[in-house]
Structures are given as C-alpha cells and as structure tokens.
Amino acid sequence: MSAASAGYTGLTFRQDYFADPAAWTALVSLLSDTFGIDLDPLRRPGGADPTSMPFGWFDRAGTLVANISAFAMPMMINGRKVNAAAFQSGAVRPEWRERGLYRDLTGKALDWCAAEGFEAIVLYTDKPGLYEKYGFVSLPMHLYTGAAPAPQATTALPRRLDPWNADDLGLLQAALKTRTPVSDRLAVCQSAPMFLINTQFDPDVKLSWLEDEKAVIAWKLTDGGAFLLSDVVAARIPSLGAILDGLGIAPATVEVLFAPDKLGWHGEPRSLEGGTRFMIKTDGPTILDAPAMLSPMADF
Ligand SMILES: CC(C)(COP(=O)(O)OP(=O)(O)OC[C@H]1O[C@@H](n2cnc3c(N)ncnc32)[C@H](O)[C@@H]1OP(=O)(O)O)[C@@H](O)C(=O)NCCC(=O)NCCS
C-alpha cells in the first residue's frame, strides 16, 4: 500500500535524517511521548550510533508521527559471528495509528537491511505479533545463578568509572573498542554507543576498572546480597574468581546476565520472566545451542 492510498497525504517520508538537528529533536519528542524516555541527554556521553538508519514520516509542521530505526549490531550467536542489524525506536503517534504507517516503515527498514546484506535482524518487543508475520521468532532468555567461587587474598583497588568524567569516558571507549564478546553463545561484538547509553539507565549498576585484568566490570549487589554481573568489557574475559577478587568482594551467590562460557564458572540457567521478547529474523538457526541472554548493557 502506498503512502497516499493509506490515507496519509500531507506527510513526508525521510530516511537517514539524524544530521538535521530539528529532525533529531522530533525523534526525541516522539520517543518521549510514546515511551516516556528522554534520549537527548543520554546520547551525550558517547554520541549517536554512526550506523543508525532512521526511517520516519513527518507532518508539515516537522513533527515526527511515525518512526523505526535500524543500526548495525554484529553479534556472536551459537559460536559464530553474525553480521546482524537491530531495530529500535519503533513508534507511531496515537492519532496516526491503524493506518498502515508502521507496516510501511517496517517494510522499508526490512528492505534496507536486505540491500545492506545483513544476515539477521534482532529486536526487543512486548508485541511479538507485530513482527511474527515477517518471520521474526522469539528466543527465550536465561540468566545463570550459582554459588560464588571461593575468594582469594587480594590487595586490588578497583577504580570506579563515571561516564560523565572525560578521563573515565576515554578509558571506557578504549576498552569498548578492543573488547571481545562477553560470551560466544549470545553477545554483541561491540555496541559501544548502546553500552554508554545503558550506563545511565540503572543508577545501581557500577562500572569498575580492574587494572590487573584490564577489564571494565558492570555489576551491582542485589537486595538479597547476591553479586549480579551485567557485563565485562575487556580484550580477554577474566574468570569470575578474578573479577570478584579484583573487586574485593566475597558474595555467597552470583547471578550472571549472559551465558558464562568465558567465566570459568558454572551456574544454573534460569528463565527470564517478563513481557519483553527478544526476537530474531534470520535464514540461519533460530534456536540457541545453550541457554543464554543478551547482557542488559547491550539493550537497545
Ligand atoms: C505498535 C504501533 C507501532 C503500531 O503502529 P500502527 O501504525 O498503528 O500500525 P499499522 O497500522 O501499520 O499496523 C501494522 C500491523 O500491525 C498490527 N498491529 C497494530 N497494533 C498492534 C499491536 N498492538 N499488537 C500487535 N499487532 C498490532 C496491525 O494489525 C497491522 O497488521 P497487518 O500488517 O497484518 O495488517 C503503535 O501502536 C505504537 O506506536 N504503539 C506504542 C509503541 C509500541 O508499542 N511500539 C512498538 C515497539 S516494538
């Protein structure tokens, strides 16, 4: 169905519009009105993802009424590097819904991904029905829980990182540039812009630099006192024991929010509850070889 026949004359389609500050502001406004999140300040520490490709319909006043964005998100899946894209920022203003605008934009974004040669597309959604008809399938997500490794004596002094501090941001960005995926089962290869944005969402998640390991650890203690490991940014992933020793903490239990195949530790997989699904569209396998989840620091 064309734009005109769908009944949205007066709208203008624009793609790749981030260089226009007014159009960027219109996207911030659409996402704030739809999801209640203000992306503008969050983007400052690292800048927008340079691979981002937004697709949007604007009205005559320059208001963005419908949008979907794609960006490159190379990932490890089942031990293989996959040239994946991700969809985000999918929204249509209420007064413009049920006219086919989202169908139109999804089709444009899918066509662009096919032309760019992406092997897979991933997304998060609470409305899987929107995407199943295009061949997206849900991948179940599992975290890992278990007893912590026995502590070793340590004199380590972890350095707390603040992405708003220029020196700390530089260190973080350098580590992100040379990182290895935190897991071979399911993990992003780099995703630096999303990592930096996600540091702003949960104020309880600490970023600690372990000098001996040359590793950034994203972690917190849960209300119950368990050590919750969200992500590790390093060229070589240290063992869980080395991480705890480096942080100078000795918890009884651990929860790991990614598959721990590089941590030298075994936990029990636990299904992640919640309404949000992680979906993938690919000609390759759509089943994980082992339970896994994408680190929340890669959320998009
Ligand atoms: C979901 C949303 C993007 C749909 O936009 P829209 O322009 O009304 O959608 P369209 O008119 O293009 O409909 C596209 C298709 O989605 C279906 N659809 C619409 N809303 C849906 C919903 N809430 N759940 C499942 N399917 C839905 C339509 O029936 C239509 O199916 P068809 O292609 O088989 O005919 C819009 O309601 C919205 O912005 N909601 C709030 C934010 C949100 O949930 N975004 C999606 C995040 S993943």
Side-chain angles (χ1 to χ4, degrees):
M1 195 186 298
S2 75
S5 64
Y8 30 92
T9 40
L11 298 185
T12 305
F13 173 70
R14 293 178 66 185
Q15 181 177 329
D16 199 9
Y17 58 75
F18 275 0
D20 173 359
W24 165 257
T25 302
L27 174 64
V28 171
S29 162
L30 173 67
L31 299 182
S32 166
D33 292 347
T34 309
F35 302 111
I37 47 166
D38 182 4
L39 266 193
D40 210 28
L42 297 181
R43 163 175 111 125
R44 243 174 267 151
D49 187 324
T51 71
S52 217
M53 178 56 67
F55 304 83
W57 283 101
F58 292 78
D59 72 9
R60 289 196 180 95
T63 302
L64 181 57
V65 303
N67 187 79
I68 192 168
S69 302
F71 65 101
M73 202 177 88
M75 302 177 70
M76 292 301 297
I77 304 178
N78 293 335
R80 194 173 81 78
K81 184 173 175 183
V82 176
N83 178 24
F87 284 175
Q88 65 178 179
S89 308
V92 177
R93 289 194 178 275
E95 60 274 30
W96 286 95
R97 288 178 189 166
E98 295 178 24
R99 303 191 204 187
L101 277 172
Y102 199 62
R103 187 189 316 121
D104 173 81
L105 290 176
T106 306
K108 287 179 162 72
L110 289 170
D111 288 349
W112 180 79
C113 288
E116 292 290 309
F118 287 108
E119 295 173 82
I121 306 170
V122 294
L123 56 83
Y124 284 108
T125 186
D126 61 354
K127 301 179 181 72
L130 272 178
Y131 304 102
E132 280 158 355
K133 58 188 161 236
Y134 301 108
F136 283 87
V137 297
S138 298
L139 290 184
M141 298 284 103
H142 291 82
L143 57 85
Y144 280 79
T145 62
Q152 307 292 315
T154 170
T155 53
L157 282 177
R159 169 176 157 195
R160 184 78 180 269
L161 298 179
D162 172 6
W164 295 92
N165 170 296
D167 288 345
D168 289 359
L169 178 62
L171 195 157
L172 258 175
Q173 284 175 319
L176 283 161
K177 207 170 273 177
T178 55
R179 81 182 299 186
T180 192
V182 73
S183 161
D184 281 338
R185 292 185 190 153
L186 185 68
V188 293
C189 293
Q190 198 173 66
S191 276
M194 290 319 304
F195 183 98
L196 291 170
I197 284 175
N198 286 323
T199 62
Q200 304 301 302
F201 277 122
D202 184 348
D204 292 336
V205 172
K206 302 175 178 57
L207 298 175
S208 301
W209 170 249
L210 305 188
E211 178 61 33
D212 286 357
E213 307 292 344
K214 302 275 182 284
V216 178
I217 314 298
W219 66 284
K220 69 177 175 183
L221 293 177
T222 67
D223 291 342
F227 174 74
L228 190 133
L229 181 58
S230 290
D231 205 354
V232 180
V233 181
R236 194 189 61 83
I237 304 299
S239 70
L240 183 59
I243 290 171
L244 292 171
D245 292 343
L247 293 173
I249 56 174
T253 53
V254 173
E255 298 183 3
V256 178
L257 301 185
F258 51 86
D261 46 295
K262 296 187 177 180
L263 288 180
W265 170 84
H266 295 283
E268 287 298 315
R270 195 174 82 206
S271 177
L272 207 63
E273 309 292 337
T276 302
R277 306 266 197 92
F278 181 74
M279 301 187 87
I280 186 166
K281 173 181 162 67
T282 177
D283 291 334
T286 51
I287 293 176
L288 293 174
D289 292 344
M293 69 176 279
L294 203 61
S295 157
M297 301 306 288
D299 269 3
F300 55 89

